Amino acid sequence: MKVLVVDDQQLMREGLVALLDLVDDVEVVGDAGDGEQALRLVAEVRPDVVLMDLRMPVMDGVEATRRIARAHPEVAVVVLTTYDDDRSVDSALLAGARGYLTKDAGRAEIAAALRSAAAGQSTFSAAVSRRLVDALSRAAPPPVSACPDGLTVREVEVLRLVAGGLSNAEIGSALFIAETTVKTHINNAFAKIGVRNRTEAAAYARDTLL
């Protein structure tokens, strides 16, 4: 798995590179100090995942994530930042980040998030996961007036949450159903709409259901 590290603090950047060099299945293919450098390197080295800081000079991580998602949709972005406030989380996820960790994460957690992102799945720190689940629990879901492609109302609800980047466990918590039930709904929905993975399902949900 090829990883590009982006952080404006040189000490932090070098520390992350050294840390990831200890992970067997990770190859650090470059590092950048701002979003503009990151965009150039993504085009040059074609990483599988970008580990992205948010607040940087020249171009911040949110804008860099948005441009990477637009120009290189095959490249996943995992945010690693000090901040876990609602505005930072929402901005990163709306820009297309596939994971969101805070800088107190350890090597194992960062490596797991990179693997999940490369596989088309989402990973969030515990604090961010709680924030997302709480927000979903408080917010009334948009009404389902019609279910396209033979989907059930529950399958539509699950696909909307997949598009929001939630894991199966987080979807189960938000909808008060078992994780195994979530998997069943996802498998049935994937078969009905003809997609193969969560990334394609999220794109379908954003285009058709949101």
Side-chain angles (χ1 to χ4, degrees):
M1 176 175 50
K2 297 188 294 183
V3 176
L4 173 67
V5 174
V6 185
D7 196 293
D8 66 321
Q9 297 181 9
Q10 183 176 353
L11 184 62
M12 183 69 183
R13 190 167 68 247
E14 291 176 351
L16 287 170
V17 170
L19 179 148
L20 292 175
D21 279 340
L22 299 175
V23 180
D24 290 340
D25 58 343
V26 170
E27 176 190 3
V28 178
V29 293
D31 62 270
D34 59 63
E36 192 172 278
Q37 293 177 8
L39 286 173
R40 289 199 300 269
L41 282 174
V42 166
E44 291 174 10
V45 303
R46 299 289 181 175
D48 299 303
V49 188
V50 178
L51 188 60
M52 180 79 73
D53 190 17
L54 281 188
R55 301 191 183 180
M56 299 180 292
V58 185
M59 180 188 296
D60 66 20
V62 171
E63 182 60 25
T65 297
R66 184 178 296 112
R67 296 193 187 190
I68 290 170
R70 188 178 302 145
H72 306 280
E74 75 283 1
V75 178
V77 175
V78 173
V79 168
L80 181 66
T81 180
T82 305
Y83 309 96
D84 66 353
D85 57 282
D86 289 345
R87 182 177 180 181
S88 296
V89 174
D90 290 348
S91 297
L93 297 184
L94 288 172
R98 203 172 290 170
Y100 197 109
L101 302 176
T102 51
K103 287 184 176 178
D104 57 354
R107 182 178 67 187
E109 186 177 0
I110 294 172
L114 294 174
R115 295 186 191 104
S116 294
Q121 300 172 353
S122 300
T123 300
F124 305 103
S125 68
V128 172
S129 292
R130 286 193 298 270
R131 190 184 299 276
L132 290 171
V133 170
D134 288 346
L136 285 165
S137 299
R138 290 192 303 268
V144 180
S145 57
C147 297
D149 298 317
L151 295 167
T152 66
V153 171
R154 181 62 90 188
E155 288 163 357
V156 169
E157 292 173 340
V158 169
L159 285 173
R160 284 172 170 168
L161 297 180
V162 167
L166 272 69
S167 67
N168 289 354
E170 291 163 345
I171 292 172
S173 297
L175 297 179
F176 303 101
I177 58 178
E179 186 174 353
T180 53
T181 304
V182 174
K183 292 179 181 177
T184 298
H185 288 312
I186 286 177
N187 290 336
N188 291 340
F190 278 22
K192 290 177 181 178
I193 65 178
V195 300
R196 296 167 296 178
N197 53 53
R198 296 175 84 93
T199 301
E200 293 178 358
Y204 170 91
R206 285 192 291 267
D207 293 341
T208 308
L209 305 176
L210 300 179

